[in-house]
């Protein structure tokens, strides 16, 4: 990556069409891209626009936009959101925001926070308490508490507007895991900071959907329930989560109850997953192979 301190890290011109009204994205309240700018439109096809997306370091200018994006991180429960946003902004070397221009509000963010480094923060204690309260299996609850207390656990904070194009998935994962974290391990100014990015495991908190007629999955990995019946199908709002879930050490999910779900809607869930760095890397390779990764193509072009 060239010029990390002046990081306009990537840009993508993507075509975005109309969403199916019955898709999960239409069941989640959103203002769409909000700050998107229409560049070109085929007069014969009014359903497609070209949009430029750019990646930036989190910055003070993003405070209110990030707070709006993360205010439902605990599904409507009050928590120290401003503190979480401040932490993301101060840790600018590892973290990415997605915008349509430098002045616009972020429509997405991804970062990795070392839980032990920030264990005194109210926002992280509140996240832990929220997850422990929602976890219904005592064995999984014990595992969650164990990894939360261990050194080397990274909390992945990843949110973006529900109708962001899926093509953003690969470059965002690539920026965080394949560029920023290795850069920080090698180049942060102090040994303490460098060591704080030597993650031994990653804890993901994601948004998924499920048929309202079936019970929420717990334990994950598509295991059959008692009686030989298959659990309800999980619908992944973001492409990367399907691959991370497939390779996770353990996972559990719980319903989002902050808003009513209509009869014909899918039930929104939170999915919590634990992965080792090797498992996450394998999941990303599959993601890049299936979805593609424009960032890798740009690197190859630059090297030739």
């Amino acid at each position: 990556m060239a010029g990390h301190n002046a990081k306009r890290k990537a840009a993508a011109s993507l075509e975005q069409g109309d969403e199916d009204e019955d898709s999960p994205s239409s069941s989640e309240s959103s203002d769409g891209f909000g700050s998107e700018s229409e560049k070109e439109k085929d007069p014969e096809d009014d359903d497609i626009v070209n949009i430029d997306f750019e990646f930036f370091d989190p910055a003070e200018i993003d405070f209110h936009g990030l707070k709006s994006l993360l205010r439902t991180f605990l599904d409507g429960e009050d928590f120290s959101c401003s503190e979480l946003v401040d932490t993301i902004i101060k840790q600018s070397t590892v973290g990415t925001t997605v915008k349509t221009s430098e002045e616009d509000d972020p429509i997405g963010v991804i970062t990795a926070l070392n839980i032990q480094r920030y264990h005194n923060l109210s926002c992280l204690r509140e996240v832990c308490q929220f997850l422990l309260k929602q976890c219904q299996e005592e064995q999984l609850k014990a595992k969650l508490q164990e990894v939360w207390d261990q050194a080397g656990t990274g909390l992945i904070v990843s949110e973006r507007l529900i109708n962001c194009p899926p093509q953003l998935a690969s470059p965002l994962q690539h920026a965080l895991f394949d560029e920023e974290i290795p850069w920080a391990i090698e180049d942060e100014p102090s040994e303490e900071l460098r060591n704080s990015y030597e993650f031994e495991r990653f804890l993901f908190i994601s948004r998924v959907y499920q048929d309202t007629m079936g019970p929420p999955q717990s334990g994950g990995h598509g295991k059959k329930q008692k009686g030989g019946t298959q659990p309800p199908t999980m619908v992944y709002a973001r492409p990367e989560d399907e691959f991370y879930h497939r390779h996770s050490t353990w996972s559990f999910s719980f319903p989002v109850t902050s808003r009513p779900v209509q009869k014909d809607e899918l039930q929104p869930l939170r999915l919590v997953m634990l992965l080792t760095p090797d498992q996450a890397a394998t999941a990303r390779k599959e993601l890049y192979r299936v979805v593609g990764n424009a960032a890798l193509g740009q690197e190859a072009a630059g090297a030739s």
Side-chain angles (χ1 to χ4, degrees):
M1 184 194 320
H4 190 280
N5 291 332
K7 184 192 346 173
R8 178 167 294 194
K9 292 183 294 191
S13 179
L14 304 177
E15 290 185 345
Q16 178 70 11
D18 289 344
E19 296 285 348
D20 187 336
E21 291 183 357
D22 295 326
S23 69
S25 60
S26 66
S27 66
E28 188 83 4
S29 175
S30 173
D31 293 327
F33 294 113
S35 57
E36 72 183 26
S37 59
E38 182 178 321
K39 294 189 66 182
E40 296 179 11
K41 182 179 287 188
D42 187 339
E44 296 181 358
D45 190 349
D46 292 335
D47 295 334
I48 295 177
V49 293
N50 287 337
I51 306 168
D52 283 341
F53 296 93
E54 296 179 285
F55 293 176
F56 298 91
D57 286 329
E60 289 293 340
I61 194 176
D62 303 324
F63 177 85
H64 294 291
L66 287 175
K67 189 173 180 180
S68 177
L69 196 63
L70 294 170
R71 63 185 172 81
T72 59
F73 191 62
L74 299 190
D75 302 327
E77 290 201 8
D78 290 333
F79 77 108
S80 304
C81 185
S82 294
E83 185 182 52
L84 178 61
V85 172
D86 280 335
T87 304
I88 291 171
I89 291 172
K90 290 175 182 176
Q91 186 186 275
S92 59
T93 54
V94 173
T96 295
T97 61
V98 184
K99 303 182 185 182
T100 55
S101 77
E102 192 167 6
E103 293 75 26
D104 288 327
D105 284 338
I107 60 173
V109 64
I110 186 170
T111 192
L113 302 178
N114 185 307
I115 293 175
Q116 283 302 300
R117 177 182 174 187
Y118 298 114
H119 73 279
N120 287 327
L121 296 183
S122 298
C123 59
L124 287 196
R125 291 198 300 269
E126 291 159 352
V127 171
C128 182
Q129 292 165 4
F130 174 75
L131 297 179
L132 289 172
K133 181 177 71 174
Q134 297 294 340
C135 184
Q136 300 302 308
E137 294 188 20
E138 291 302 320
Q139 185 177 11
L140 284 171
K141 187 177 294 189
K143 290 180 178 180
L144 173 61
Q145 184 68 72
E146 180 182 11
V147 301
W148 194 274
D149 294 337
Q150 286 178 328
T153 300
L155 174 66
I156 304 301
V157 178
S158 178
E159 292 284 334
R160 53 188 187 264
L161 294 184
I162 195 67
N163 58 350
C164 280
Q167 294 95 325
L168 288 173
S170 292
L172 279 172
Q173 308 311 303
H174 180 85
L176 178 66
F177 291 101
D178 302 327
E179 293 187 338
E180 294 176 331
I181 292 176
W183 181 93
I185 291 172
E186 182 177 343
D187 292 340
E188 280 285 22
S190 71
E191 183 178 4
E192 182 181 4
L193 275 176
R194 292 192 294 271
N195 291 341
S196 72
Y197 294 108
E198 292 274 9
F199 294 113
E200 298 179 15
R201 65 199 70 82
F202 296 106
L203 189 67
F204 292 77
I205 306 174
S206 179
R207 296 181 187 273
V208 294
Y209 295 84
Q210 194 175 67
D211 190 339
T212 56
M213 299 301 292
Q217 293 179 349
S218 185
H221 305 89
K223 295 179 180 178
K224 289 188 176 182
Q225 297 174 338
K226 292 182 178 179
T229 59
Q230 192 71 18
T233 301
M234 187 171 283
V235 179
Y236 299 90
R238 302 182 304 205
E240 66 268 28
D241 294 328
E242 180 174 3
F243 298 95
Y244 287 135
H245 192 198
R246 183 183 303 165
H247 292 281
S248 59
T249 301
W250 53 257
S251 65
F252 67 90
S253 61
F254 53 88
V256 174
T257 58
S258 56
R259 67 171 184 84
V261 178
Q262 303 302 317
K263 184 177 181 180
D264 59 345
E265 287 185 325
L266 297 176
Q267 169 68 57
L269 307 176
R270 277 293 192 178
L271 174 64
V272 182
M273 305 174 282
L274 185 81
L275 287 89
T276 66
D278 286 344
Q279 289 170 330
T282 299
R284 290 196 307 280
K285 287 179 182 177
E286 291 187 5
L287 171 71
Y288 301 160
R289 185 168 63 248
V290 174
V291 180
N293 187 354
L296 290 176
Q298 291 169 359
E299 288 181 2
S304 61

